[in-house]
Coordinates of all heavy atoms in Angstrom, one line a residue:
M1477 N -5.0 -4.0 -9.8 CA -6.1 -4.8 -9.3 C -7.4 -4.2 -9.9 O -8.3 -5.0 -10.2 CB -6.1 -4.8 -7.8 CG -7.1 -5.7 -7.2 SD -6.9 -7.3 -7.8 CE -6.4 -8.1 -6.3
D1478 N -7.5 -2.9 -10.0 CA -8.7 -2.3 -10.5 C -8.9 -2.7 -12.0 O -10.0 -3.0 -12.4 CB -8.6 -0.7 -10.4 CG -8.7 -0.2 -9.0 OD1 -9.3 -1.0 -8.2 OD2 -8.3 0.9 -8.8
T1479 N -7.8 -2.8 -12.7 CA -7.8 -3.2 -14.1 C -8.3 -4.6 -14.2 O -9.2 -4.9 -15.1 CB -6.5 -3.0 -14.8 OG1 -6.1 -1.6 -14.7 CG2 -6.5 -3.4 -16.3
L1480 N -7.8 -5.5 -13.4 CA -8.1 -6.9 -13.4 C -9.6 -7.1 -13.1 O -10.4 -7.8 -13.8 CB -7.3 -7.7 -12.5 CG -7.7 -9.2 -12.3 CD1 -7.6 -9.9 -13.6 CD2 -6.8 -9.8 -11.2
C1481 N -10.1 -6.4 -12.0 CA -11.5 -6.5 -11.6 C -12.4 -5.9 -12.7 O -13.5 -6.5 -12.9 CB -11.7 -5.8 -10.3 SG -10.9 -6.7 -8.9
G1482 N -12.0 -4.9 -13.3 CA -12.8 -4.3 -14.4 C -12.9 -5.2 -15.6 O -13.9 -5.4 -16.2
F1483 N -11.8 -5.9 -15.9 CA -11.8 -6.9 -17.0 C -12.7 -8.0 -16.7 O -13.5 -8.4 -17.5 CB -10.3 -7.4 -17.2 CG -10.2 -8.4 -18.3 CD1 -10.4 -8.1 -19.6 CD2 -9.9 -9.7 -17.9 CE1 -10.3 -9.1 -20.6 CE2 -9.8 -10.7 -18.9 CZ -10.0 -10.4 -20.2
M1484 N -12.6 -8.6 -15.5 CA -13.5 -9.7 -15.1 C -15.0 -9.2 -15.1 O -15.9 -9.9 -15.5 CB -13.2 -10.2 -13.7 CG -11.8 -10.9 -13.6 SD -11.3 -11.4 -12.0 CE -12.5 -12.6 -11.6
R1485 N -15.3 -8.0 -14.6 CA -16.6 -7.5 -14.6 C -17.1 -7.3 -16.0 O -18.3 -7.7 -16.3 CB -16.6 -6.1 -13.9 CG -18.0 -5.5 -13.8 CD -17.9 -4.0 -13.5 NE -17.3 -3.3 -14.6 CZ -16.3 -2.4 -14.4 NH1 -15.8 -2.2 -13.2 NH2 -15.8 -1.8 -15.5
D1486 N -16.3 -6.8 -16.9 CA -16.8 -6.6 -18.3 C -17.1 -7.9 -19.0 O -18.1 -8.0 -19.7 CB -15.7 -5.8 -19.1 CG -15.5 -4.4 -18.7 OD1 -16.4 -3.9 -18.0 OD2 -14.5 -3.8 -19.0
I1487 N -16.3 -8.9 -18.8 CA -16.5 -10.2 -19.4 C -17.8 -10.8 -18.8 O -18.6 -11.3 -19.5 CB -15.3 -11.2 -19.2 CG1 -14.2 -10.7 -20.1 CG2 -15.7 -12.6 -19.5 CD1 -12.9 -11.5 -19.9
G1488 N -17.9 -10.8 -17.5 CA -19.1 -11.3 -16.8 C -20.4 -10.6 -17.2 O -21.4 -11.3 -17.5
R1489 N -20.3 -9.3 -17.4 CA -21.5 -8.6 -17.8 C -21.9 -9.0 -19.2 O -23.0 -9.1 -19.6 CB -21.3 -7.1 -17.7 CG -21.4 -6.6 -16.3 CD -21.2 -5.1 -16.2 NE -21.4 -4.6 -14.9 CZ -21.0 -3.4 -14.5 NH1 -20.5 -2.5 -15.4 NH2 -21.2 -3.0 -13.3
H1490 N -20.9 -9.0 -20.1 CA -21.1 -9.3 -21.5 C -21.7 -10.7 -21.7 O -22.6 -10.9 -22.5 CB -19.8 -9.2 -22.3 CG -19.9 -9.5 -23.8 ND1 -20.5 -8.6 -24.6 CD2 -19.6 -10.6 -24.5 CE1 -20.5 -9.2 -25.8 NE2 -20.0 -10.3 -25.8
L1491 N -21.2 -11.7 -20.9 CA -21.7 -13.1 -21.0 C -22.9 -13.4 -20.1 O -23.5 -14.4 -20.2 CB -20.5 -14.1 -20.7 CG -19.3 -14.0 -21.6 CD1 -18.2 -14.9 -21.0 CD2 -19.7 -14.4 -23.0
S1492 N -23.1 -12.5 -19.1 CA -24.2 -12.7 -18.1 C -23.9 -14.0 -17.4 O -24.8 -14.8 -17.1 CB -25.6 -12.7 -18.7 OG -25.8 -11.5 -19.3
K1493 N -22.6 -14.3 -17.1 CA -22.2 -15.5 -16.3 C -21.2 -15.1 -15.3 O -20.5 -14.1 -15.4 CB -21.7 -16.5 -17.3 CG -22.7 -17.1 -18.3 CD -22.0 -18.2 -19.1 CE -23.1 -18.8 -20.0 NZ -22.6 -20.0 -20.7
P1494 N -21.0 -16.0 -14.3 CA -19.9 -15.8 -13.3 C -18.6 -16.0 -14.0 O -18.4 -16.8 -15.0 CB -20.1 -16.9 -12.3 CG -21.5 -17.4 -12.5 CD -21.9 -17.1 -13.9
V1495 N -17.6 -15.3 -13.6 CA -16.2 -15.4 -14.0 C -15.3 -15.5 -12.8 O -15.5 -14.8 -11.9 CB -15.8 -14.1 -14.8 CG1 -14.3 -14.2 -15.2 CG2 -16.7 -13.9 -16.0
V1496 N -14.5 -16.6 -12.8 CA -13.6 -16.8 -11.6 C -12.2 -16.8 -12.0 O -11.8 -17.1 -13.2 CB -13.9 -18.1 -10.9 CG1 -15.3 -18.1 -10.3 CG2 -13.8 -19.3 -11.8
M1497 N -11.3 -16.4 -11.1 CA -9.9 -16.4 -11.2 C -9.3 -17.4 -10.2 O -9.7 -17.3 -9.0 CB -9.3 -15.0 -11.0 CG -7.7 -15.1 -11.2 SD -7.0 -13.5 -10.8 CE -6.9 -13.6 -9.1
T1498 N -8.5 -18.3 -10.6 CA -7.9 -19.3 -9.7 C -6.4 -19.1 -9.7 O -5.8 -18.5 -10.6 CB -8.2 -20.7 -10.0 OG1 -7.7 -21.0 -11.3 CG2 -9.7 -21.0 -10.1
A1499 N -5.8 -19.6 -8.6 CA -4.3 -19.7 -8.6 C -3.9 -20.7 -9.7 O -4.6 -21.6 -10.1 CB -3.8 -20.1 -7.3
E1500 N -2.7 -20.5 -10.2 CA -2.2 -21.4 -11.3 C -2.2 -22.8 -10.8 O -1.7 -23.2 -9.8 CB -0.7 -21.0 -11.6 CG -0.2 -21.8 -12.8 CD 1.2 -21.3 -13.2 OE1 1.7 -20.4 -12.5 OE2 1.8 -21.9 -14.1
G1501 N -3.0 -23.7 -11.6 CA -3.1 -25.1 -11.3 C -4.0 -25.4 -10.2 O -4.2 -26.5 -9.7
G1502 N -4.8 -24.4 -9.7 CA -5.7 -24.6 -8.5 C -7.1 -24.4 -8.9 O -7.8 -23.6 -8.4
Y1503 N -7.6 -25.2 -9.9 CA -9.0 -25.0 -10.4 C -10.0 -25.2 -9.3 O -11.1 -24.7 -9.5 CB -9.2 -25.9 -11.6 CG -8.3 -25.6 -12.7 CD1 -7.2 -26.5 -13.0 CD2 -8.4 -24.5 -13.5 CE1 -6.3 -26.2 -14.0 CE2 -7.5 -24.2 -14.5 CZ -6.5 -25.1 -14.8 OH -5.6 -24.8 -15.8
A1504 N -9.8 -25.9 -8.3 CA -10.8 -26.2 -7.3 C -10.9 -25.0 -6.2 O -11.8 -25.0 -5.5 CB -10.4 -27.5 -6.5
N1505 N -10.0 -24.1 -6.2 CA -10.0 -23.0 -5.2 C -9.9 -21.6 -5.9 O -8.9 -21.0 -6.0 CB -8.7 -23.2 -4.3 CG -8.7 -24.5 -3.6 OD1 -9.8 -24.9 -3.1 ND2 -7.6 -25.1 -3.6
P1506 N -11.1 -21.1 -6.3 CA -11.1 -19.8 -6.9 C -10.7 -18.7 -5.9 O -11.0 -18.8 -4.7 CB -12.6 -19.6 -7.3 CG -13.4 -20.6 -6.6 CD -12.4 -21.7 -6.2
V1507 N -10.1 -17.7 -6.4 CA -9.6 -16.6 -5.5 C -10.5 -15.4 -5.6 O -11.0 -14.8 -4.6 CB -8.2 -16.2 -6.0 CG1 -7.6 -15.0 -5.2 CG2 -7.2 -17.4 -5.9
L1508 N -10.8 -14.9 -6.8 CA -11.7 -13.8 -7.1 C -12.7 -14.2 -8.1 O -12.5 -15.1 -8.9 CB -10.9 -12.6 -7.8 CG -10.0 -11.8 -6.9 CD1 -9.3 -10.8 -7.8 CD2 -10.8 -11.1 -5.8
G1509 N -13.9 -13.6 -8.1 CA -14.9 -13.9 -9.1 C -15.9 -12.8 -9.3 O -16.2 -12.0 -8.3
F1510 N -16.4 -12.7 -10.5 CA -17.5 -11.8 -10.8 C -18.8 -12.5 -10.5 O -19.1 -13.6 -11.0 CB -17.5 -11.3 -12.2 CG -18.7 -10.5 -12.6 CD1 -18.7 -9.2 -12.2 CD2 -19.7 -11.0 -13.4 CE1 -19.9 -8.4 -12.5 CE2 -20.8 -10.2 -13.7 CZ -20.9 -8.9 -13.3
D1511 N -19.7 -11.9 -9.7 CA -21.0 -12.5 -9.3 C -22.0 -11.6 -10.1 O -22.2 -10.5 -9.8 CB -21.2 -12.4 -7.8 CG -22.6 -12.9 -7.4 OD1 -23.3 -13.4 -8.2 OD2 -22.8 -12.9 -6.2
P1512 N -22.7 -12.2 -11.1 CA -23.6 -11.5 -11.9 C -24.8 -11.0 -11.1 O -25.4 -10.0 -11.4 CB -24.0 -12.4 -13.0 CG -23.5 -13.7 -12.7 CD -22.5 -13.6 -11.6
A1513 N -25.3 -11.8 -10.1 CA -26.4 -11.4 -9.3 C -26.1 -10.1 -8.5 O -26.9 -9.3 -8.3 CB -26.8 -12.5 -8.3
A1514 N -24.9 -10.0 -8.0 CA -24.4 -8.9 -7.2 C -23.9 -7.8 -8.1 O -23.7 -6.6 -7.7 CB -23.4 -9.2 -6.2
D1515 N -23.6 -8.1 -9.3 CA -23.0 -7.2 -10.3 C -21.7 -6.6 -9.8 O -21.4 -5.4 -9.9 CB -24.0 -6.1 -10.8 CG -23.5 -5.4 -12.0 OD1 -22.9 -6.0 -12.9 OD2 -23.7 -4.2 -12.1
R1516 N -20.8 -7.5 -9.2 CA -19.6 -7.0 -8.7 C -18.6 -8.1 -8.6 O -19.0 -9.3 -8.5 CB -19.7 -6.2 -7.4 CG -20.1 -7.1 -6.3 CD -20.4 -6.2 -5.0 NE -20.6 -7.1 -3.9 CZ -19.9 -7.1 -2.8 NH1 -19.0 -6.2 -2.6 NH2 -20.2 -7.9 -1.8
V1517 N -17.3 -7.8 -8.5 CA -16.3 -8.8 -8.2 C -16.1 -9.0 -6.7 O -16.1 -8.0 -6.0 CB -14.9 -8.3 -8.8 CG1 -13.8 -9.3 -8.5 CG2 -15.0 -8.2 -10.3
V1518 N -16.1 -10.3 -6.3 CA -16.1 -10.6 -4.9 C -14.9 -11.5 -4.6 O -14.4 -12.2 -5.4 CB -17.4 -11.3 -4.4 CG1 -18.6 -10.4 -4.6 CG2 -17.6 -12.6 -5.3
L1519 N -14.4 -11.4 -3.4 CA -13.3 -12.3 -2.9 C -13.9 -13.6 -2.6 O -14.9 -13.7 -1.8 CB -12.7 -11.7 -1.6 CG -11.5 -12.4 -1.0 CD1 -10.4 -12.5 -2.0 CD2 -11.1 -11.8 0.3
L1520 N -13.4 -14.7 -3.1 CA -13.9 -16.0 -2.9 C -13.0 -16.8 -2.0 O -13.4 -17.8 -1.4 CB -14.0 -16.8 -4.3 CG -15.0 -16.1 -5.2 CD1 -14.9 -16.8 -6.6 CD2 -16.4 -16.1 -4.7
A1521 N -11.7 -16.5 -1.9 CA -10.7 -17.2 -1.0 C -10.9 -16.8 0.4 O -11.2 -15.6 0.7 CB -9.3 -17.0 -1.5
Q1522 N -10.6 -17.7 1.3 CA -10.6 -17.3 2.7 C -9.2 -16.8 3.1 O -8.2 -17.3 2.6 CB -10.9 -18.6 3.6 CG -12.3 -19.2 3.3 CD -13.4 -18.2 3.8 OE1 -13.2 -17.5 4.8 NE2 -14.4 -18.2 3.1
P1523 N -9.2 -15.7 3.8 CA -7.9 -15.2 4.2 C -7.1 -16.2 5.0 O -7.7 -16.9 5.8 CB -8.2 -14.0 5.1 CG -9.6 -13.7 4.8 CD -10.3 -14.9 4.3
R1524 N -5.8 -16.3 4.8 CA -4.9 -17.2 5.5 C -4.1 -16.4 6.5 O -3.4 -15.4 6.1 CB -4.0 -18.0 4.6 CG -4.8 -18.9 3.7 CD -4.0 -19.6 2.7 NE -2.7 -20.0 3.1 CZ -1.9 -20.7 2.4 NH1 -2.2 -21.1 1.2 NH2 -0.7 -21.0 2.8
F1525 N -4.1 -16.8 7.7 CA -3.3 -16.1 8.8 C -2.2 -17.0 9.2 O -2.4 -18.2 9.5 CB -4.2 -15.7 10.0 CG -5.3 -14.7 9.6 CD1 -6.6 -15.2 9.3 CD2 -5.0 -13.4 9.4 CE1 -7.6 -14.3 9.0 CE2 -6.0 -12.5 9.0 CZ -7.3 -12.9 8.8
S1526 N -1.0 -16.4 9.4 CA 0.1 -17.2 9.8 C 0.3 -17.1 11.3 O 0.0 -16.2 12.0 CB 1.4 -16.7 9.2 OG 1.3 -16.8 7.8

């Protein structure tokens, strides 16, 4: 997870743009994303409780 978040952070910093990760085929529901304003990777999905 640290490697993935670092990769997203590096791309976002290089491009100065948000970077999002979605579940396969779920473009409308991002899971993680790099927020350039906060300069960090943030959780975008709502936790699901069973």
Side-chain angles (χ1 to χ4, degrees):
M1477 187 57 108
D1478 289 339
T1479 302
L1480 174 62
C1481 289
F1483 178 69
M1484 291 175 68
R1485 181 195 66 229
D1486 291 345
I1487 290 175
R1489 283 180 179 169
H1490 181 74
L1491 297 174
S1492 298
K1493 293 186 176 187
V1495 177
V1496 296
M1497 181 185 82
T1498 63
E1500 185 176 0
Y1503 299 106
N1505 300 317
V1507 177
L1508 287 175
F1510 173 76
D1511 180 0
D1515 194 36
R1516 66 186 189 124
V1517 174
V1518 294
L1519 179 65
L1520 300 172
Q1522 296 295 324
R1524 292 174 40 177
F1525 297 101
S1526 301

